Amino acid sequence: MQGTIFPAPNFNPVMDAQVLEGALQGFDCDKDLLLDILTQRSGAQRQVIAEAYQGMCGRDLLGDLKEKLSGHFKDVMVGLMYPPPSYDAHELWHAMKGAGTEENCLIDILASRTNGEIFQMREAYYMQYSSDLQEDIYSETSGHFRDTLVNLVQGTREEGYADPAVAAQDAVVLWEACQQRTGEHKTLLQVILCTKSYQQLWLVFQEFQNISGQDIVDAINECYDGYFQELLVAIVLCVRDKPAYFAYRLYSAIHDFGFHNKTVIRIIIARSEIDLMTIRKRYKERYGKSLFHDIKNFASGHYEKALLALCAGDAEDY
């Protein structure tokens, strides 16, 4: 797994803060300077810059970016200023508190995060919004979709343990859940997918294929529908290959939804220091065109420049 954003060498936060202050002066900001600095520093470095900016100007850099910028370029620059758990919390809050719930945002984040990331996200959510993430999910969603999200947000997935005998039993439970589809079976299905380790689930999915002659994703798609089905499939895809899942979500956001900006921005920022380089590779392998090429085709202006800088495109990607 490899990201695209790394700590800048010869880092000088005071100089960066001075340049940012100058760039944010006047009616029209110097967007090139803003993106040159903020897309070329690691998340930890951006936090140090924000401290230097506060000490120097007596103002909050995040607040100034929100006030001075607009549109999708603003969304990228502001998003970069949140530490990862705070950014996840910010995205979840807005997904639930706007007009209608953005279920796909909840799915993308909660199906893919590790126990540690979920724990930090819950803390950040409470600190930022004085609200409990689990309670908000419970009040804003419903049915087995809600039950599965609540299970995921516990952050209690087993880690690093695999038992072939138990995998065979779990595979039978999953197969029965796809056949019978009762409320009880749906609960058993989501408990297995939410609590077993990734290593264990690899074995379960192999056993499922052996006993049913069918891939688990195809079975879920046949047996269930709605956001419950989408969430279960997302969990399976993340277990198998998380960068491939995000490549699929980016492709879908760009091509199936006429460039769904929120999804593209969220994934590129959230994965930039984790596995965005690997996501780029999966995207090119799977869809023929590069992520760089598709962003260039659909976005424009400084917004396009910012996304491309975070993708860290190579010459062959043009």
Side-chain angles (χ1 to χ4, degrees):
M1 300 299 167
Q2 194 185 0
T4 54
I5 300 297
F6 302 94
N10 309 315
F11 175 53
N12 186 333
V14 174
M15 188 179 292
D16 283 349
Q18 287 171 341
V19 172
L20 289 174
E21 187 194 16
L24 286 164
Q25 294 302 311
F27 177 71
D28 202 17
C29 304
D30 189 332
K31 297 186 180 77
D32 288 311
L33 273 180
L34 292 177
L35 74 86
D36 281 350
I37 290 178
L38 295 181
T39 65
Q40 301 306 310
R41 305 291 183 270
S42 68
Q45 288 177 333
R46 290 183 210 116
Q47 297 310 303
V48 179
I49 293 169
E51 286 173 25
Y53 188 93
Q54 179 81 46
M56 196 172 68
C57 314
R59 293 195 311 277
D60 176 40
L61 177 55
L62 183 60
D64 282 0
L65 290 168
K66 284 180 178 176
E67 184 188 330
K68 294 278 190 174
L69 301 176
S70 62
H72 299 308
F73 179 70
K74 168 184 171 179
D75 295 337
V76 178
M77 294 297 105
V78 167
L80 289 171
M81 292 310 302
Y82 287 100
S86 300
Y87 186 57
D88 279 348
H90 169 270
E91 292 295 289
L92 290 169
W93 169 264
H94 287 282
M96 290 189 282
K97 296 303 175 185
T101 302
E102 280 185 63
E103 286 84 359
N104 285 115
C105 174
L106 305 184
I107 292 170
D108 275 353
I109 292 176
L110 293 172
S112 65
R113 300 311 192 248
T114 65
N115 289 347
E117 287 167 342
I118 287 170
F119 179 75
Q120 290 181 309
M121 174 204 309
R122 287 181 66 153
E123 282 202 321
Y125 192 93
Y126 187 76
M127 293 292 289
Q128 283 161 236
Y129 305 110
S130 303
S131 192
D132 182 84
L133 176 56
Q134 182 176 322
E135 288 175 10
D136 285 354
I137 288 169
Y138 195 84
S139 67
E140 298 294 331
T141 57
S142 62
H144 290 282
F145 176 61
R146 172 175 69 190
D147 296 343
T148 311
L149 290 173
V150 166
N151 207 328
L152 287 169
V153 87
Q154 307 304 311
T156 52
R157 185 181 293 285
E158 295 164 2
E159 292 179 343
Y161 179 69
D163 182 329
V166 174
Q169 294 167 7
D170 286 344
V172 171
V173 173
L174 292 187
W175 186 71
E176 287 175 351
C178 287
Q179 300 304 304
Q180 301 186 31
R181 309 179 208 180
T182 66
E184 187 184 348
H185 281 97
K186 286 181 183 176
T187 300
L188 290 169
L189 172 63
Q190 61 99 346
V191 166
I192 289 170
L193 292 181
C194 293
T195 60
K196 302 289 181 169
S197 72
Y198 274 25
Q199 292 90 331
Q200 182 70 17
L201 287 173
W202 264 94
L203 293 180
V204 173
F205 300 157
Q206 287 171 340
E207 286 292 336
F208 184 92
Q209 177 91 40
N210 293 340
I211 61 172
S212 69
Q214 191 176 28
D215 184 75
I216 182 74
V217 171
D218 294 334
I220 291 169
N221 285 336
E222 271 183 26
C223 299
Y224 297 106
D225 56 16
Y227 292 117
F228 179 58
Q229 168 254 328
E230 287 185 38
L231 177 54
L232 297 180
V233 168
I235 295 168
V236 173
L237 295 179
C238 284
V239 169
R240 286 182 166 163
D241 186 339
K242 209 171 279 184
Y245 169 72
F246 282 116
Y248 153 69
R249 289 288 298 130
L250 282 167
Y251 187 85
S252 170
I254 292 169
H255 292 276
D256 298 343
F257 296 98
F259 209 88
H260 193 266
N261 295 285
K262 282 184 180 178
T263 302
V264 173
I265 293 168
R266 181 178 65 248
I267 294 173
I268 286 178
I269 290 178
R271 309 311 294 186
S272 60
E273 290 185 65
I274 300 171
D275 54 6
L276 185 54
M277 188 64 82
T278 316
I279 291 167
R280 275 184 42 195
K281 285 177 186 160
R282 297 286 191 277
Y283 194 99
K284 186 85 177 271
E285 290 161 7
R286 186 157 294 193
Y287 305 112
K289 297 265 173 58
S290 71
L291 178 59
F292 198 86
H293 170 277
D294 281 353
I295 288 171
K296 214 166 168 48
N297 260 10
F298 285 90
S300 61
H302 287 91
Y303 172 46
E304 175 201 328
K305 284 185 184 176
L307 291 179
L308 294 180
L310 291 171
C311 279
D314 300 325
E316 72 266 17
D317 285 338
Y318 282 88

